[in-house]
């Protein structure tokens, strides 16, 4: 294996220490309101991890757990309360929501000033035109990881696999911004001959939600691979009966890449870290008002 491992765990630890230091100095305690509807096990574990991270950096975290049968009106009422609560600087509604609640309507009810996930149309629009906004956490974390790996993307070719609103599309937008200056190709399920694009890439960001979407034969020697995928695959040797893998085949990609993010321990920890970053940023803006 020739590739350097880009550790999201290591970068997260140093950024979280910096966030904790800044939090301690602020005249207001940054507060995050976390809303969970139902008891989807993956959502429960994400929410628990986010709250733990909040507490560890000295932030205030308020968890609001609502039953799966909560009505849309009741959920919108909870969001309105959080919007006007002075102790809350960031609001996070854990997705997915139960099927009877339209996610779009719920996200748009969050005040853009407290939208620390960066999911509202106002924040997405601001990001697109390069205005001050909350950047979406996973894409922002990916940019930080590339910077941490010491890679200057100016004039380089970045290939993004996946066009979701929360990862693929915003990653492509951020990589193409003048400050990053990459030339970006966005690939998706409609792309013919994916490897003809990935083989030209200096950096590949893979966010497809499928193991082995990217394999070593699909990248050029020395490319950087950022693996966003989190997939559970059965593994009888583990007490849990499964293990986590990314969207890239780690072994074959690491043979050819110059640097690669592991799963777990790569992009995952950065997502929560950038959520804390945005919550701190929101509290700073609140304190300055
Ligand atoms: P999604 O299912 O919404 O989107 C996947 C995208 O990949 C689609 O746009 C599709 O067009 C594309 N795609 C799928 N298979 C493809 C193929 N074979 N070739 C080309 N394109 C293909 O998923 P998402 O929400 O963007 O998440 C992607 C992955 O990242 C998932 O595994 C998810 O669990 C993970 N994820 C991780 C984090 C984190 O913090 N680590 C955060 C968000 C998502």
């Amino acid at each position: 294996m020739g590739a350097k491992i880009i550790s999201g765990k290591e970068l997260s630890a140093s950024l979280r220490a910096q966030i904790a230091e800044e939090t301690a100095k602020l005249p207001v305690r940054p507060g995050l309101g976390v809303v969970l509807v139902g008891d989807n096990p993956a959502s429960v574990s994400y929410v628990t991890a986010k709250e733990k991270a909040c507490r560890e950096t000295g932030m205030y975290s308020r968890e609001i757990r609502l039953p799966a049968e909560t009505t849309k009106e009741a959920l919108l009422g909870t969001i309105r309360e959080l919007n006007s609560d002075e102790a809350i600087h960031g609001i996070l509604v854990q997705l997915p929501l139960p099927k009877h609640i339209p996610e779009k309507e719920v996200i748009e009810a969050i005040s853009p000033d407290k939208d620390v996930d960066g999911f509202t149309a106002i924040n997405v629009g601001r990001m697109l035109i390069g205005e001050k906004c909350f950047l979406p956490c996973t894409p922002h974390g990916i940019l930080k990881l590339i910077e941490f790996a010491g890679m200057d993307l100016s004039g380089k070719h970045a290939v993004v696999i996946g066009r979701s609103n929360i990862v693929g599309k915003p990653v492509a937008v951020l990589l193409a911004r003048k400050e990053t200056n990459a030339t970006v190709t966005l690939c998706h399920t409609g792309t013919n001959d994916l490897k003809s694009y990935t083989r030209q890439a200096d950096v590949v960001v893979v966010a497809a939600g499928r193991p082995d979407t990217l394999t070593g034969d699909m990248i050029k020697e020395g490319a950087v691979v950022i693996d966003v995928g989190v997939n559970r695959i059965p593994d009888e040797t583990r007490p849990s009966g499964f293990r986590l893998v990314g969207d890239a085949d780690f072994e074959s990609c690491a043979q050819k890449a110059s640097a690669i993010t592991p799963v777990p321990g790569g992009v995952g920890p950065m997502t929560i870290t950038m959520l804390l970053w945005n919550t701190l940023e929101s509290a700073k803006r609140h304190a300055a008002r």
Side-chain angles (χ1 to χ4, degrees), residues 14-32:
S14 82
L15 286 174
R16 287 186 198 189
Q18 194 187 318
I19 290 169
E21 216 172 280
E22 289 194 40
T23 294
K25 284 190 209 144
L26 267 190
V28 295
R29 188 175 183 207
L32 179 70

Side-chain angles (χ1 to χ4, degrees), residues 138 161-164 166-167 188-189 207-210 228-231 268 271:
T138 303
I161 308 174
R163 60 177 155 192
S164 72
I166 62 165
V167 189
H188 43 72
T189 41
R210 284 184 208 187
V228 189
V230 180
N231 305 291
T271 296

Side-chain angles (χ1 to χ4, degrees), residues 100-215:
H100 66 280
I101 305 180
E103 285 184 357
K104 198 171 171 295
E105 206 175 321
V106 170
I107 289 169
E108 293 309 328
I110 299 171
S111 160
D113 293 338
K114 297 190 179 185
D115 171 29
V116 286
D117 259 336
F119 286 169
T120 59
I122 295 254
N123 265 309
V124 174
R126 285 180 183 156
M127 174 188 69
L128 197 64
I129 61 175
E131 273 186 16
K132 199 171 169 64
C133 63
F134 293 116
L135 293 181
C137 302
T138 303
H140 194 187
I142 290 168
L143 285 196
K144 291 276 176 202
L145 280 168
I146 292 171
E147 190 186 306
F148 178 61
M151 197 182 182
D152 177 6
L153 287 186
S154 187
K156 298 279 167 46
H157 184 196
V159 169
V160 178
I161 308 174
R163 60 177 155 192
S164 72
N165 288 336
I166 62 165
V167 189
K169 277 194 257 178
V171 166
V173 168
L174 295 177
L175 291 170
R177 288 191 311 180
K178 204 148 197 178
E179 46 271 53
T180 312
N181 224 18
T183 300
V184 180
T185 301
L186 181 59
C187 297
H188 43 72
T189 41
T191 300
N192 291 323
D193 195 10
L194 180 63
K195 65 176 178 303
S196 68
Y197 297 96
T198 54
R199 278 181 180 163
Q200 297 176 43
D202 299 300
V203 56
V204 183
V205 178
V206 56
R210 284 184 208 187
D212 296 336
T213 302
L214 188 74
T215 48

Side-chain angles (χ1 to χ4, degrees), residues 6 40 83 104 132 156 169 231 235 244 251 273 282:
I6 311 171
N40 172 312
N83 279 343
K104 198 171 171 295
K132 199 171 169 64
K156 298 279 167 46
K169 277 194 257 178
N231 305 291
D235 184 345
L244 295 182
E251 294 305 322
T273 301
S282 180

